[in-house]
Amino acid sequence: MQISPEIKDRFKNSKNILALTGAGISAESGVPTFRGKEGLWKQYRAEELATPQAFSRDPKLVWEWYLWRMELISTKSPNPAHFALAELERKRSDFHLITQNVDGLHKRSGSEKIIEIHGNIFRNRCTNCNRKYDSDVSKLKNSTGCPNCKSIVRPDVLWFGESYDTDLLNRAVSLAERSELLFVIGSSGAVGIPVELARIAKENGAFVIEINIDPSGYSKYADLFLQEKAGEIIPELISYFV
Ligand code: NAD
Ligand code: ZN
């Protein structure tokens, strides 16, 4: 991929670099995205399972799906795109990462300054007393009861139709406002708030680079669209940062 000298200059001169990642960055690790036929589980679509309504109707079914996803993700590893972003964090103290992913692969690749705006699948929380727990698949298989109050626990992730954690969202908005260079990586733009973050960054003067194998709901904000696989292009892009 030919990256122009002008873009390389931007890498050098921009402050407050931000990356916003979605399921596509983990696709090359073998974690299925939601959209596309590999996103199906049994006959269900994610939108039918990742909702508070589905959980109150059939918590056992929703837990079965989450346990399947946790087991699957546990067998996967971060890919070169995750590692490259972790390297960028070491290179640049003004770099931040906002991820929509719940798979924890950014942390496992060494990134530390991450906002997980949609939560983390390896955490659960009580629907009654709100205590949070690290998820232990074998224990959860036997009981999804809260050790403290015996109510049912749920995955500590944001479901379709739920409100964002205000503190996390405020932090994400302020990073978007301050950012001079935004990478949007592997996200379809089907979820509204993350697209808003890109709009905010753009309106506040950020140069927006999108990396996706297909155009997305973010493409209208992109100053540069790189139609590439994240694991193939991100390491190269990061190598231009000093
Ligand atoms: P999405 O499934 O809606 O879209 C995935 C996007 O990634 C698509 O635009 C696709 O073209 C792109 N893509 C696929 N392979 C790619 C590659 N190799 N390189 C670059 N781009 C690639 O995902 P989303 O936009 O993140 O939104 C879905 C929601 O589902 C999010 O809230 C997210 O939390 C959740 N989710 C998370 C995971 C995960 O944690 N890994 C997996 C599935 C869904
Ligand atoms: Zn409880």
Side-chain angles (χ1 to χ4, degrees):
M1 178 85 213
Q2 209 55 23
I3 303 294
S4 70
E6 187 235 330
I7 298 295
K8 290 180 191 166
D9 273 353
R10 272 190 191 277
F11 289 179
K12 209 161 60 196
N13 299 327
S14 302
K15 294 198 174 55
N16 300 326
I17 302 146
L18 185 61
L20 172 63
T21 65
I25 197 170
S26 296
E28 288 157 83
S29 293
V31 180
T33 58
F34 272 2
R35 287 157 192 99
K37 61 175 174 356
E38 76 284 9
L40 288 177
W41 176 72
K42 299 186 178 173
Q43 73 275 36
Y44 300 99
R45 290 178 21 239
E47 293 89 331
E48 294 163 350
L49 295 165
T51 71
Q53 292 79 6
F55 190 67
S56 36
R57 206 181 316 125
D58 194 346
K60 208 164 157 287
L61 173 76
V62 173
W63 262 119
E64 209 187 312
W65 180 56
Y66 275 97
L67 288 166
W68 171 79
R69 289 179 66 202
M70 284 195 283
E71 283 192 322
L72 180 124
I73 293 166
S74 310
T75 67
K76 309 298 180 196
S77 309
N79 68 53
H82 297 105
F83 285 116
L85 293 179
E87 190 188 333
L88 183 56
E89 182 179 307
R90 290 190 293 272
K91 282 186 173 181
R92 293 285 302 253
S93 59
D94 58 348
F95 171 70
H96 285 86
L97 177 56
I98 300 174
T99 188
Q100 300 169 67
N101 295 345
V102 297
D103 57 28
L105 289 181
H106 283 299
K107 278 193 184 147
R108 279 169 57 196
S109 74
S111 284
E112 284 173 8
K113 284 195 279 185
I114 319 171
I115 302 188
E116 292 176 317
I117 46 171
H118 292 167
N120 189 310
I121 200 168
F122 295 104
R123 226 176 27 232
N124 56 65
R125 73 167 191 268
C126 177
T127 51
N128 177 48
C129 73
N130 246 353
R131 280 200 193 186
K132 296 197 182 196
Y133 301 97
D134 286 335
S135 298
D136 178 332
V137 176
S138 51
K139 279 194 192 144
L140 283 167
K141 273 190 172 157
N142 296 324
S143 161
T144 50
C146 169
N148 179 47
C149 75
K150 311 286 177 254
S151 300
I152 189 162
V153 295
R154 56 165 280 178
D156 193 19
V157 299
L158 188 78
W159 282 332
F160 291 107
E162 292 188 312
S163 309
Y164 280 70
D165 177 287
T166 320
D167 175 51
L168 284 188
L169 188 59
N170 286 342
R171 280 167 53 205
V173 168
S174 118
L175 288 172
E177 284 170 345
R178 291 203 318 258
S179 160
E180 292 179 5
L181 178 63
L182 170 68
F183 293 101
V184 179
I185 305 164
S187 179
S188 65
V191 182
I193 295 285
V195 182
E196 274 298 285
L197 293 173
R199 185 189 61 78
I200 291 169
K202 175 83 183 163
E203 284 188 3
N204 283 273
F207 188 82
V208 179
I209 301 181
E210 178 175 29
I211 294 111
N212 200 311
I213 50 171
D214 287 314
S216 76
Y218 297 89
S219 303
K220 58 180 178 286
Y221 300 122
D223 296 288
L224 178 64
F225 177 67
L226 299 174
Q227 191 154 15
E228 302 273 350
K229 286 187 170 178
E232 291 172 7
I233 185 82
I234 310 280
E236 181 189 341
L237 294 179
I238 300 316
S239 73
Y240 299 126
F241 285 86
V242 279

